[in-house]
């Protein structure tokens, strides 16, 4: 894992995962079961509270890491805009949280 952990924090963030994907090591050519396992690991990473849903700062962390793949430094305003976009797209029951099944659906992962 250390060779993929660019910032050395002991965890793989989305930019680390994107490099793995770009190298075909994450979802490229993976079986459905492998994709499901990878998704579970990613979700658990962001679901710090262990509730099975991303809310508040957990959503912010997910959005920030995801967007830093294309824009390295986000302003607070940009983070708010992208959070709202993600919630509009993925929060199917409009409760202000993203449940695991909602995120899986958004990412095309069958649970």
């Amino acid at each position: 894992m250390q060779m993929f952990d660019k910032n050395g924090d002991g965890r793989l963030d989305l930019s680390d995962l994107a490099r793995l994907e770009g190298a075909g090591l994450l979802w490229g050519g993976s079986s459905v079961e492998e994709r499901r396992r990878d998704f579970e690991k990613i979700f658990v990473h962001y679901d710090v509270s262990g509730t099975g849903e991303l809310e508040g700062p957990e959503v912010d962390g997910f959005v920030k890491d995801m967007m830093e793949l294309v824009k390295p430094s986000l302003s607070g305003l940009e983070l708010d805009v992208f959070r709202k976009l993600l919630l509009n797209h993925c929060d199917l029951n409009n409760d202000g949280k993203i449940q695991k099944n909602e995120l899986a659906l958004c990412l095309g992962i069958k649970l």
Side-chain angles (χ1 to χ4, degrees):
M1 181 169 111
Q2 290 176 339
M3 74 170 119
F4 300 114
D5 181 14
K6 186 176 179 183
N7 65 3
D9 68 354
R11 301 183 320 196
L12 295 179
D13 59 25
L14 279 182
S15 57
D16 297 324
L17 293 174
R19 281 194 304 284
L20 291 172
E21 172 60 16
L25 298 174
L26 187 56
W27 283 325
S30 297
S31 71
V32 170
E33 186 57 36
E34 289 171 319
R35 291 184 69 182
R36 188 177 301 132
R37 275 196 312 267
D38 291 339
F39 171 79
E40 292 287 342
K41 289 176 190 175
I42 292 167
F43 191 85
V44 166
H45 171 78
Y46 289 99
D47 183 19
V48 176
S49 63
T51 60
E53 55 196 19
L54 304 181
E55 59 183 312
E58 296 168 333
V59 173
D60 290 346
F62 180 78
V63 170
K64 183 176 183 295
D65 288 348
M66 182 176 63
M67 294 312 301
E68 282 185 343
L69 296 173
V70 293
K71 184 171 170 121
S73 60
L74 290 175
S75 70
L77 180 60
E78 290 170 319
L79 181 60
D80 288 342
V81 168
F82 291 125
R83 180 188 333 99
K84 287 176 186 172
L85 288 171
L86 181 70
L87 286 169
N88 286 338
H89 182 69
C90 296
D91 182 16
L92 301 177
N93 64 2
N94 296 313
D95 65 352
K97 305 171 189 176
I98 301 175
Q99 282 75 30
K100 185 192 305 186
N101 64 328
E102 291 174 327
L103 187 58
L105 184 61
C106 283
L107 298 176
I109 305 293
K110 289 186 178 185
L111 294 181

